[in-house]
Amino acid sequence: MTTIKSTSEIRQGFLDFFAKKGHQTVSSSSLVPDNDPTLLFTNAGMNQFKDTFLGSEKRAYTRATSSQRCVRAGGKHNDLDNVGYTARHHTFFEMLGNFSFGDYFKRDAITFAWEYLTVELKLPVDKLWITVFDQDLEAEKIWIDEIGVDPARLSRIGAKDNFWSMGDTGPCGPCSEIFYDHGEHIWGGPPGTPEEDGDRYIEIWNVVFMQYNRHADGTMENLPKPSVDTGMGLERISAIIQNGHSNYDIDLFQALIKKVAEVTGATDLDNKSLRVVADHIRSCGFLIVDGVMPSNEGRGYVLRRIIRRAVRHGHKLGAKDVFFFKIYDELINQMGEAYPELSKQRAFVEKILRLEEEQFAKTLERGLQILDGELDNLKGKVVPGDVVFKLYDTYGFPADLTADIARERELTIDEAGFDNAMAEQRSRAQQANNFTTDYNNTLVIEQKTEFIGYETLQSPATVTHLVLDGAFVDSLNEGDSGQVILSQSPFYAESGGQSGDAGQLILNNGTFIVTDTKKLGNAFLHRGYVSMGAVTVNEKVHAEVDAARRQSIALHHSATHLLHAALRRTLGEHVTQKGSLVDADKLRFDFSHFEPLSTALLHQVNFLVNESIRNNVEVVTQLMDIEEAKSSGAMALFGEKYDDMVRVVQMGDTSTELCGGTHTQRTGDMGFFLIRSESGIAAGIRRIEASVGLAASEAVDTVLKEVDNACRLVKADSVSLAEKIEHLLDRNKLLEKEVAQLKTKMASAAGSDLIANAIDINGVKVVIANIEGVDPKILRDSVDEIKNKLQSGIVVLATKVDDSKVSLIVGVTKDLIQKVKAGDLVNLVAVPVGGKGGGRPDMAMAGGNNPAALADALALVEPWLAERL
Ligand code: SER
């Protein structure tokens, strides 16, 4: 009996087959395309070879094979909505492929594919169906004459399906596809027939004959050499080999589905929500491994949407608690061998998933209730855009999540209405922002300012434009605050987190003080005021950067690179920069990490940065071709668009980063690095603030002075300070306890005195007293005490808290409350002293603001009681 191959064996078997045919096995690239802004996520095996096809990147081999992780969610190829509802849509899938870079072409590509399917996998020939591009007679001839495919099982198809392009631009060419016939029992027809959309004939392999490079204007240029790019869905081929129809039948998915059922408590293994969650753990797990973090924009938002969709389906399955992260373990079991990065980042991925789910779980139930209510009352079949928006805005329901829920009730959502509501919110937010900027956003400047500030801090320049109150003017006069645009400038304009330079422009007749520099398009706005004289358009000026400030900024920028490197060394490779701000007196660095840093870790990071500073290596900045920079291992930021020529900043073997900022000469210039604070700014994103140089040493001086003061106050030295404070705190606690005991004793003693002086009104004992300077709380304890001792009686106590405050309290024993209510009595006294009070019949309190009237007010008590007792 032959055992059925597992998905892992099929993946490995494919790679081995092509390795034997002279192909280099290449690892899957990241799901985040390497500096390719045209692509949201890696969505095909050929993405990482794009430049090799175009001829701009040379590799040591001309044949390659890979199993590439792909995500088709968000962006142009969005399968998210279909996942769970069909047998073959996924947010994440693996694409097996073989590639030729100017080596073999159509004949070999077709022969390899056929041999792999019919000889290696032994698929029956009469189950396979071939398509060719209708103008590609060469490919058709190879299939029929050389391979021997029955012409009745081959269709010619137009460009829509059989001319493959990576995107609007880039490598492309005609293709030939291989389909598998799942049998008559499933509805559908061969490609090219009206029933082709059915599930009977499923495309399994696309063999692309890469021939052209399409330009933005639509023209196509021949590639340097004809090439081959093929792609076969691993899940689809595995379903066939494992005798299934649905991809979800394969071993890998069955294991994940069982795990989802186990952690959610679901019992019906056919529930489609199980498939949704099993699919989503794959995309979410791999996206986080590849550096994407849940957020409200771009890639991070796609991840967030998928996680939230998974969480909702988990709850439908019966999950009572946070559950999604628990499935990651099974993903490692299934795919960890092929992708070791999955287990390396286990703790990180699980934490991010858990945090994100916890955050969403807080609003999920409430949002679902609101949505249920809306759906119950819905007239028609479309959920209005403002409801979708409210769920998004208040409960964090992405629109596609609401659509998913609506679909279960055979409803749709008003997407256009939702988009409008979003656009309105955005414009409101923008308006709110405009209040805080004094830059006129409507100004457009064609002018380009040439930046010469890497080499020099002073230079002559010509004034090309002047701006006053958001409009262009010909001159700025003494006292005017405005902006000056120069032909060239040594001033660094704020970018990449680095603050803009300050300094001055020496005018023919006067001075313009520059307080800040910003970019507007390609022009630099030197913002400030004319301190003396006037400046006019076309005037030649002398620009001088404030060198000391620039140097402080440069030191902080260089420190940011060292901090980045130290964090990666201390916490792990998952740390990536999420934002930064570099100023003259501090730096702020945001990075991905799942939990607060312990004091010990912060010390370690601080130590490592200072060690790099003490090593005093040269900071070398080189201008390089982007490809050269990448292969030198320079760290680039995800999603950042770089020019062809980039600056690479290297500090010994500690740090190499692509960076357009300004830096110091040697690491030792920074002197000393000090972390000032660490905090969380969003789920999975931490922020460190730090200083170097003078700012750091001033910060330490301030702390030392404070420590000195504290030492003097508690008579300790800096080494024994903490111990001394601890000792004082303990003693303080002890004293507080003693004071409380004494107060109780005093109240009790005072109570006894008062009882001795009680008066008798118609046989009832009454205590009326004004006690000076007693805490109102003690007063209350005394009333209780006296009441207990009297057993039957009435107590009226008053105290003057200060010159404008009186406290009153009245107690009446239970047997007398039919005759006298404590609240009435307390008000008798409170009203003349300017107050009002209340409480229970046996105990009431009041305050007043006129102590001078207290004696007279208390004198009212006796006659008032005499009438009632
Ligand atoms: N690039 C082609 C596709 O994605 C073949 O791999 O279908």
Side-chain angles (χ1 to χ4, degrees):
M1 200 183 105
T2 52
T3 50
I4 294 177
K5 282 194 179 116
S6 68
T7 304
S8 294
E9 285 164 345
I10 296 167
R11 182 194 300 111
Q12 194 55 48
F14 179 94
L15 298 174
D16 291 347
F17 176 86
F18 281 98
K20 266 193 236 132
K21 305 270 181 211
H23 292 65
Q24 169 75 38
T25 308
V26 177
S27 309
S28 167
S29 64
S30 162
L31 284 171
V32 177
D34 193 13
N35 291 322
D36 187 342
T38 66
L39 212 53
L40 187 67
F41 295 119
T42 299
N43 60 13
M46 56 75 63
N47 292 167
Q48 66 168 317
F49 303 118
K50 177 180 171 185
D51 293 341
T52 317
F53 285 122
L54 295 176
S56 58
E57 182 185 340
K58 296 272 170 284
R59 296 196 179 227
Y61 42 84
T62 55
R63 297 177 176 203
T65 182
S66 69
S67 176
Q68 174 65 47
R69 51 185 185 265
C70 300
V71 161
R72 290 192 178 171
K76 207 162 148 202
H77 297 282
N78 187 1
D79 289 339
L80 182 59
D81 294 346
N82 285 321
V83 174
Y85 294 93
T86 74
R88 60 199 150 85
H89 281 102
H90 301 291
T91 52
F92 173 97
F93 64 98
E94 285 176 88
M95 192 183 276
L96 301 169
N98 58 291
F99 307 89
S100 151
F101 313 116
D103 186 323
Y104 58 83
F105 197 43
K106 291 183 190 178
R107 173 168 296 109
D108 286 341
I110 291 173
T111 311
F112 286 152
W114 195 252
E115 185 186 331
Y116 176 73
L117 292 176
T118 61
V119 180
E120 178 78 7
L121 296 185
K122 302 188 180 56
L123 296 187
V125 170
D126 61 2
K127 286 287 212 176
L128 300 175
W129 192 284
I130 306 299
T131 67
V132 292
F133 180 44
D134 54 12
Q135 294 166 29
D136 189 0
L137 299 181
E138 187 191 349
E140 180 177 321
K141 221 163 133 5
I142 296 171
W143 279 115
I144 294 173
D145 295 349
E146 299 183 30
I147 302 289
V149 164
D150 178 354
R153 304 188 63 78
L154 180 144
S155 327
R156 294 177 181 175
I157 307 276
K160 187 178 148 291
D161 285 322
N162 277 46
F163 192 94
W164 196 88
S165 326
M166 181 184 156
D168 296 338
T169 59
C172 56
C175 61
S176 180
E177 296 183 328
I178 304 170
F179 285 68
Y180 184 82
D181 177 2
H182 277 269
E184 275 171 3
H185 60 291
I186 295 167
W187 180 80
T193 65
E195 297 85 35
E196 66 176 2
D197 286 338
D199 270 347
R200 177 170 167 185
Y201 290 84
I202 299 282
E203 180 210 327
I204 51 173
W205 205 339
N206 185 12
V207 182
V208 185
F209 310 120
M210 285 291 191
Q211 251 169 305
Y212 311 105
N213 179 15
R214 198 200 308 261
H215 296 288
D217 62 6
T219 55
M220 291 205 286
E221 177 194 13
N222 279 335
L223 289 182
K225 285 181 185 158
S227 298
V228 169
D229 148 38
T230 85
M232 171 157 63
L234 172 64
E235 298 78 5
R236 290 185 185 188
I237 193 69
S238 299
I240 295 167
I241 303 296
Q242 297 176 11
N243 301 321
H245 170 60
S246 163
N247 291 356
Y248 291 98
D249 294 337
I250 67 175
D251 54 340
L252 185 158
F253 268 115
Q254 283 299 306
L256 286 172
I257 284 171
K258 283 204 188 84
K259 184 74 181 180
V260 179
E262 181 194 313
V263 298
T264 57
T267 46
D268 170 16
L269 287 185
D270 287 332
N271 190 322
K272 79 173 167 43
S273 291
L274 290 172
R275 289 185 276 171
V276 173
V277 180
D279 170 275
H280 289 6
I281 190 66
R282 300 211 308 160
S283 49
C284 296
F286 274 99
L287 282 171
I288 297 172
V289 161
D290 282 341
V292 181
M293 297 289 271
S295 76
N296 276 340
E297 55 195 16
R299 297 183 176 118
Y301 191 53
V302 177
L303 172 60
R304 172 162 284 170
R305 279 157 51 196
I306 306 177
I307 296 176
R308 293 188 171 186
R309 193 169 185 261
V311 170
R312 212 269 305 182
H313 280 278
H315 281 249
K316 276 184 66 184
L317 290 167
K320 294 278 172 286
D321 213 346
V322 179
F323 76 97
F324 193 41
F325 77 97
K326 295 184 187 157
I327 298 153
Y328 186 68
D329 205 34
E330 189 57 38
L331 181 65
I332 296 178
N333 288 343
Q334 294 303 317
M335 300 183 70
E337 205 179 313
Y339 300 96
E341 50 274 60
L342 284 177
S343 55
K344 274 197 208 139
Q345 297 199 37
R346 176 201 300 261
F348 180 68
V349 177
E350 288 179 345
K351 270 214 171 122
I352 295 301
L353 290 176
R354 208 178 62 209
L355 286 173
E356 180 67 11
E357 181 173 350
E358 278 167 0
Q359 200 187 13
F360 182 50
K362 282 188 204 135
T363 55
L364 176 65
E365 285 308 320
R366 184 79 194 112
L368 284 174
Q369 276 168 10
I370 301 277
L371 181 57
D372 273 345
E374 296 279 356
L375 296 186
D376 288 344
N377 294 326
L378 193 67
K379 295 183 185 55
K381 290 259 168 209
V382 183
V383 186
D386 56 346
V387 173
V388 183
F389 179 73
K390 183 175 140 197
L391 284 160
Y392 162 80
D393 203 33
T394 317
Y395 301 105
F397 279 40
D400 43 25
L401 179 65
T402 305
D404 196 39
I405 299 168
R407 181 173 170 165
E408 286 160 13
R409 299 209 191 183
E410 293 176 358
L411 303 170
T412 56
I413 62 164
D414 173 10
E415 277 182 44
F418 171 75
D419 290 344
N420 280 345
M422 278 291 275
E424 270 171 36
Q425 192 200 43
R426 240 177 251 132
S427 97
R428 277 196 302 273
Q430 234 156 35
Q431 275 163 14
N433 270 343
N434 282 348
F435 286 120
T436 59
T437 163
D438 55 355
Y439 287 95
N440 188 322
N441 292 335
T442 59
L443 276 184
V444 178
I445 296 183
E446 294 291 326
Q447 168 75 33
K448 177 175 167 33
T449 304
E450 198 196 333
F451 178 56
I452 51 171
Y454 289 126
E455 301 86 24
T456 177
L457 295 181
Q458 296 201 8
S459 85
T462 307
V463 175
T464 64
H465 301 76
L466 293 168
V467 180
L468 182 68
D469 296 333
F472 290 120
V473 290
D474 291 334
S475 62
L476 292 176
N477 298 317
E478 197 163 310
D480 283 347
S481 286
Q483 292 135 38
V484 180
I485 294 142
L486 299 174
S487 53
Q488 62 169 17
S489 175
F491 284 73
Y492 184 87
E494 180 189 308
S495 66
Q498 179 176 330
S499 301
D501 278 335
Q504 56 180 352
L505 308 179
I506 308 291
L507 313 170
N508 289 337
N509 146 33
T511 311
F512 181 90
I513 303 292
V514 180
T515 52
D516 190 13
T517 312
K518 284 205 164 83
K519 278 186 188 169
L520 180 65
N522 289 320
F524 287 13
L525 299 177
H526 302 78
R527 174 194 185 195
Y529 59 94
V530 183
S531 67
M532 200 174 78
V535 53
T536 53
V537 170
N538 292 330
E539 180 174 339
K540 302 231 175 321
V541 301
H542 189 77
E544 285 181 11
V545 173
D546 176 340
R549 183 171 177 278
R550 159 71 83 80
Q551 173 65 2
S552 290
I553 293 175
L555 293 176
H556 282 97
H557 201 151
S558 300
T560 307
H561 289 209
L562 291 182
L563 172 61
H564 192 182
L567 284 167
R568 285 171 72 93
R569 248 178 86 187
T570 309
L571 306 176
E573 300 283 299
H574 63 272
V575 169
T576 45
Q577 176 170 346
K578 294 289 171 191
S580 77
L581 182 127
V582 178
D583 232 330
D585 58 357
K586 65 170 183 312
L587 67 90
R588 202 170 78 191
F589 187 74
D590 299 341
F591 58 99
S592 49
H593 187 58
F594 41 78
E595 63 190 357
L597 271 66
S598 64
T599 315
L601 283 175
L602 283 173
H603 278 307
Q604 193 175 335
V605 172
N606 213 51
F607 177 84
L608 284 176
V609 175
N610 279 307
E611 187 178 57
S612 308
I613 291 174
R614 285 193 302 276
N615 286 342
N616 197 22
V617 297
E618 196 181 348
V619 179
V620 181
T621 305
Q622 277 173 287
L623 207 56
M624 280 189 204
D625 176 67
I626 177 83
E627 293 311 323
E628 198 189 332
K630 277 197 276 178
S631 51
S632 80
M635 234 186 325
L637 298 186
F638 282 140
E640 193 88 347
K641 195 173 174 326
Y642 292 98
D643 290 338
D644 292 345
M645 291 303 280
V646 291
R647 298 176 72 81
V648 175
V649 178
Q650 187 172 9
M651 304 183 196
D653 46 17
T654 307
S655 155
T656 309
E657 284 195 40
L658 297 188
C659 178
T662 62
H663 288 270
T664 189
Q665 315 288 313
R666 304 190 76 90
T667 57
D669 300 342
M670 288 174 244
F672 167 64
F673 173 86
L674 180 73
I675 293 180
R676 316 279 297 266
S677 71
E678 191 271 345
S679 58
I681 55 164
I685 308 215
R686 311 295 308 170
R687 166 172 292 174
I688 282 184
E689 294 191 312
S691 297
V692 283
L694 182 64
S697 108
E698 280 175 354
V700 170
D701 282 349
T702 310
V703 173
L704 288 180
K705 263 185 215 144
E706 285 302 312
V707 170
D708 260 0
N709 284 341
C711 286
R712 230 190 346 270
L713 284 173
V714 301
K715 298 195 177 48
D717 56 28
S718 60
V719 179
S720 62
L721 180 62
E723 201 185 320
K724 184 83 195 227
I725 291 176
E726 211 173 357
H727 175 72
L728 286 174
L729 286 174
D730 285 348
R731 197 171 145 66
N732 199 35
K733 236 185 250 155
L734 209 74
L735 290 176
E736 272 173 8
K737 220 162 126 189
E738 276 179 32
V739 167
Q741 282 166 354
L742 282 174
K743 277 185 176 168
T744 316
K745 266 193 206 150
M746 265 168 58
S748 158
S752 307
D753 281 358
L754 293 172
I755 289 168
N757 292 326
I759 55 173
D760 185 300
I761 303 178
N762 301 338
V764 174
K765 288 207 176 86
V766 178
V767 171
I768 306 171
N770 179 4
I771 318 171
E772 287 286 317
V774 178
D775 186 296
K777 190 180 160 302
I778 305 256
L779 215 56
R780 204 173 60 207
D781 291 345
S782 304
V783 168
D784 283 338
E785 175 104 19
I786 297 168
K787 265 167 67 184
N788 281 342
K789 287 195 175 147
L790 289 176
Q791 290 191 356
S792 174
I794 295 173
V795 192
V796 180
L797 296 186
T799 187
K800 185 177 127 185
V801 181
D802 58 39
D803 282 348
S804 60
K805 202 165 163 210
V806 176
S807 264
L808 301 168
I809 181 155
V810 170
V812 179
T813 53
K814 285 255 158 57
D815 55 319
L816 298 170
I817 58 177
Q818 291 305 330
K819 293 183 183 156
V820 175
K821 301 259 180 306
D824 296 342
L825 182 50
V826 88
N827 274 324
L828 174 81
V829 188
V831 173
V833 297
K836 192 166 165 14
R840 305 188 313 251
D842 61 336
M843 165 79 89
M845 296 201 288
N849 55 15
N850 183 13
L854 187 56
D856 290 346
L858 286 174
L860 300 173
V861 174
E862 200 174 333
W864 190 85
L865 283 177
E867 276 174 33
R868 287 165 178 79
L869 293 174

